[in-house]
Amino acid sequence: MKASLNDGGAVPTIYTAAVGKGRDHLWAGAVDGLRINKYVYDFEADGVRVRRVG
């Protein structure tokens, strides 16, 4: 799969992401500062802010 993603073709797009915390206790909350590879997504009332991390 890594070879297919690094073949120089189009950049892959992530359409969904899931967060799991385990089975011990119920969790109801929000996710902020979600990092996927080199990008951090901050979810705010006025939209999503994306910043690149080094």
Side-chain angles (χ1 to χ4, degrees), residues 21-43:
K21 70 132 215 93
R23 299 173 143 202
D24 54 349
H25 298 285
L26 177 67
W27 176 70
V31 173
D32 199 21
L34 174 65
R35 181 174 178 167
I36 300 176
N37 297 329
K38 294 182 179 181
Y39 296 94
V40 175
Y41 300 88
D42 287 318
F43 301 93

